Amino acid sequence: MKILENGICSISSIKASGYREGKYGVTVLYHENSTAAAVYTTNKVYAAPIDITRKHLENGKISAVIVNSGNANCYTKEDGIKKGLELASLVADTLNIPVEDVAVASTGVIGRQMPMDIIKPVAIESLKRLDNSRECANDACNAILTTDTTPKECAIESTLDDGTKFKVAGICKGSGMIAPNMGTMLGFITTDLDVSRDILQEALLSSVKRSFNMVVVDGDESTNDTVLVMSTNEVKGEYDNNFQEALDYVCMSLAKQIAKDGEGASKFMEVVCNGAKSEEDAICVSKSVVSSSLVKTALAGADPNWGRIICAMGYSGVEFDPDCVSISIGSGSENVVIVDKGNITTYANPEILEAAEVIMNKKEVVIKLDLHDGCYSATAYGCDLTYDYVKINAEYTT
Amino acid sequence: MKILENGICSISSIKASGYREGKYGVTVLYHENSTAAAVYTTNKVYAAPIDITRKHLENGKISAVIVNSGNANCYTKEDGIKKGLELASLVADTLNIPVEDVAVASTGVIGRQMPMDIIKPVAIESLKRLDNSRECANDACNAILTTDTTPKECAIESTLDDGTKFKVAGICKGSGMIAPNMGTMLGFITTDLDVSRDILQEALLSSVKRSFNMVVVDGDESTNDTVLVMSTNEVKGEYDNNFQEALDYVCMSLAKQIAKDGEGASKFMEVVCNGAKSEEDAICVSKSVVSSSLVKTALAGADPNWGRIICAMGYSGVEFDPDCVSISIGSGSENVVIVDKGNITTYANPEILEAAEVIMNKKEVVIKLDLHDGCYSATAYGCDLTYDYVKINAEYTT
């Protein structure tokens, strides 16, 4: 597996662009006749573009995606559909493709009509810049951001067992309203491997489950979440699990970038749950801990208050024996065991708590849990809860 | 219904005491041969005192309760049980009652052995002060607090249909780790009405469902939650629903006091969901909104970002038609409708948003939702999420 340098433009037949004016940005991705699959928010209130994209993806084919930031186009009724289609038509007319082959996605404030007088000129400007270059990849990355502080991309080359080389490349945005099921996140992934629509959909679902769905910033699940993967079908080869692994890698990388850029976050947290009776149990326990406001504030204060960890495990809803649990806290090569199969190590060795405090002052902290009750594992990704999260979100619309 | 002045000591046969040294406090309540019922945390990791109290309440009778703050006596294994029983024995020996008639509760840091060298002298001092007076009621209220900033009590006199007057009085603590199911809250309620154990248990469950279980501060459910009600059985009368109403009133008052004193809270929020298909649906929707970090931070910033409200309704898991929903924001006699059966009123009248902002600057804000889909309602109670929540919790153990 090789990391590629050109982000979403690492696949040379993909054209990308991005343009921003103030808080409004528009990104376009383009490759005619791509096979496509997508996963959407499970929020009952979902944005107009999701309706449009779901419909346009019914035949498993698209040629372009247009994404705007600054307005979520959610809770906007018929007007929202109309304006979403207007953006799709703009792309279709410019690129001379059917409007049904254009997917649409939006992110921003909910419940306001799209200011087309602002967004349309931005979209036109973005479309003018459509090309394949490192600069275009940057622009595409940047124009979809909202409260994000860093662009997020990942591109790799991998190899099928038959020796065929293929690429997977993606960009995403997401920083707040990040919850158990994808938060306000938009992700767009491309590959050149010829993959059927059904396999693409299945592979995406599987990757999303382990990556974007394991990221929690604040527990609020957005109305606009979309992860879309499109294949240019240029590379033919005997399909095998290497594709899933490559897609997993890209999704996981993007998901971690979201957690690291969580609103106001100063630290990244990984919660690994091992030894669970089922994958579902491992997911529930790790997400419960990574989501806990009290664990998140303890991380912010570098306070090894592990009682909050066992507490969050306890209310996860999963059955386990608290007296068999192990808990450790680590960062890089450092790791301290605080609870060892139910035994609290810090009674005999109080200096362990000091070591844990030193670790919790690092930028990246890994909390490892073992239920000693089975062979399933899961990892959840999150960040600390800081003053800045409050600041950012107390002042977002006004 | 009449508000009584003497808190938990409004029932003259109840003796109460409280004493505190630094972060360790001990409260005792005493009335021999009380009928008793209790509701506990659903957290799978629960504290030693819960084991003890559950056992001692098996016959529906207790004579005293001892509560300590400063240490949760949770994740402390056999040693925790031993020390919990040691406190019960101290009460039993002092009051000359069987140890099995003493209930125990604790609140504080999880995963540390109880420092009996500190807590026992505090308990002895508390027991010395056991009496019936306004001062004793104050002490009992205060000694159970942890990060709470105000004592919480409520006492009322009510009347059965047959003319019998009876009293219900309670105290509680709770400020952080307050979640969908009772958070770190301890509540102790007394009544003089002669009620069977089964009716008492049923009435308590019903009241807790509508009060303590509807309070969310941070979504973390504690390991120690206990609400216990004891009846002195002095007042005989024809039991009717007036008792349930009185118990509801006291529980609701205490629950709201917890929400108002949420860690770092500057504002109190009530989320009323009307027009739901079932009570369960109404509970889910109102709790989802009151729990949302984004709604809570919007409240902190007095930002009428109602998109976050519809978003939180959407991920509550409840089926409803977003285009039929109404949302209003009010405080006292002021109220503005922002979404009226799916129509956003602020498009035509932008000044409505300004009015909403003025309302959100008040100390108590009511968000009213109507799903227009049935006749069930529920109300959830919470607070805003402020810098101070982060501050308090980033620095709690260290």
Side-chain angles (χ1 to χ4, degrees), chain B residues 112 121 135 172 207 221 229 257 287 311 340:
Chain B
R112 294 212 187 137
E135 202 193 339
C172 78
S207 284
E221 188 193 2
V229 55
Q257 292 176 54
K287 271 192 182 177
C311 175
D340 185 15

Side-chain angles (χ1 to χ4, degrees), chain B residues 4-15:
Chain B
L4 302 173
E5 296 299 317
N6 282 334
I8 196 81
C9 287
S10 296
I11 295 166
S12 60
S13 64
I14 293 277
K15 287 187 177 170

Side-chain angles (χ1 to χ4, degrees), chain A residues 81-141:
Chain A
I81 299 284
K82 201 178 121 251
K83 287 175 176 167
L85 283 173
E86 212 175 313
L87 286 180
S89 297
L90 179 68
V91 175
D93 294 348
T94 310
L95 301 175
N96 200 22
I97 53 174
V99 66
E100 294 76 24
D101 288 359
V102 182
V104 186
S106 299
T107 175
V109 181
I110 298 167
R112 294 212 187 138
Q113 298 296 354
M114 293 270 276
M116 293 303 277
D117 54 327
I118 305 175
I119 292 175
K120 224 167 157 178
V122 173
I124 289 167
E125 201 53 48
S126 182
L127 277 161
K128 278 187 196 159
R129 292 153 192 248
L130 205 55
D131 207 346
N132 182 283
S133 70
R134 179 62 257 183
E135 202 192 339
C136 288
N138 285 350
D139 291 346
C141 246

Side-chain angles (χ1 to χ4, degrees), chain A residues 50-69:
Chain A
I50 287 185
D51 257 341
I52 297 169
T53 298
R54 206 176 253 142
K55 205 169 150 213
H56 289 186
L57 251 71
E58 265 169 16
N59 64 353
K61 291 273 170 207
I62 55 163
S63 294
V65 189
I66 179 163
V67 194
N68 76 280
S69 58

Side-chain angles (χ1 to χ4, degrees), chain A residues 324-398:
Chain A
C324 290
V325 160
S326 296
I327 300 175
S328 69
I329 296 180
S331 182
S333 59
E334 290 167 86
N335 188 63
V336 291
V337 178
I338 292 183
V339 180
D340 186 15
K341 292 187 185 161
N343 295 306
I344 300 168
T345 60
T346 60
Y347 290 161
N349 301 300
E351 70 274 15
I352 286 178
L353 272 188
E354 288 158 40
E357 198 178 325
V358 170
I359 289 172
M360 287 182 75
N361 267 307
K362 309 267 178 185
K363 280 281 165 210
E364 306 200 357
V365 174
V366 180
I367 297 173
K368 267 195 198 137
L369 318 169
D370 199 322
L371 307 183
H372 295 292
D373 195 26
C375 59
Y376 289 90
S377 295
T379 305
Y381 309 95
C383 57
D384 55 348
L385 171 57
T386 66
Y387 298 126
D388 283 346
Y389 175 84
V390 178
K391 186 171 161 61
I392 291 164
N393 285 300
E395 295 167 5
Y396 182 54
T397 57
T398 47

Side-chain angles (χ1 to χ4, degrees), chain A residues 138-324:
Chain A
N138 285 350
D139 291 346
C141 246
N142 278 299
I144 53 174
L145 306 182
T146 55
T147 54
D148 305 59
T149 65
T150 57
K152 299 167 185 73
E153 64 170 25
C154 177
I156 57 170
E157 186 179 75
S158 186
T159 316
L160 296 179
D161 290 345
D162 69 5
T164 310
K165 289 197 184 310
F166 67 95
K167 294 169 182 166
V168 179
I171 58 173
C172 78
K173 69 83 45 186
S175 180
M177 222 186 243
I178 297 293
N181 286 293
M182 294 206 303
T184 301
M185 65 97 24
L186 299 177
F188 305 97
I189 298 156
T190 55
T191 180
D192 52 7
L193 188 66
D194 184 21
V195 192
S196 78
R197 169 210 181 167
D198 290 349
I199 289 180
L200 206 55
Q201 183 71 42
E202 206 180 301
L204 182 64
L205 270 175
S206 169
S207 284
V208 165
K209 184 181 174 189
R210 270 171 287 188
S211 56
F212 299 115
N213 278 359
M214 296 302 284
V215 178
V216 183
V217 170
D218 51 17
D220 279 59
E221 188 193 2
S222 150
T223 50
N224 287 56
D225 303 336
T226 303
V227 181
L228 185 147
V229 56
M230 55 197 274
S231 160
T232 64
N233 301 308
E234 293 158 297
V235 174
K236 315 288 175 189
E238 182 74 27
Y239 181 87
D240 63 35
N241 202 47
N242 286 292
F243 178 71
Q244 181 75 62
E245 279 173 20
L247 188 63
D248 281 357
Y249 183 91
V250 169
C251 288
M252 204 75 92
S253 163
L254 294 173
K256 286 184 191 176
Q257 291 176 55
I258 289 176
K260 284 179 191 173
D261 194 27
E263 284 175 346
S266 72
K267 290 173 197 167
F268 171 69
M269 157 167 56
E270 223 173 286
V271 178
V272 184
C273 176
N274 292 317
K277 273 195 301 287
S278 67
E279 193 187 3
E280 194 47 43
D281 277 9
I283 288 173
C284 280
V285 169
S286 56
K287 270 192 180 177
S288 185
V289 172
V290 96
S291 311
S292 156
S293 292
L294 290 169
V295 172
K296 287 160 66 70
T297 44
L299 182 61
D303 177 357
N305 190 343
W306 60 270
R308 295 179 180 176
I309 298 173
I310 188 90
C311 175
M313 294 169 73
Y315 66 67
S316 66
V318 170
E319 292 287 341
F320 66 91
D321 181 354
D323 290 336
C324 290

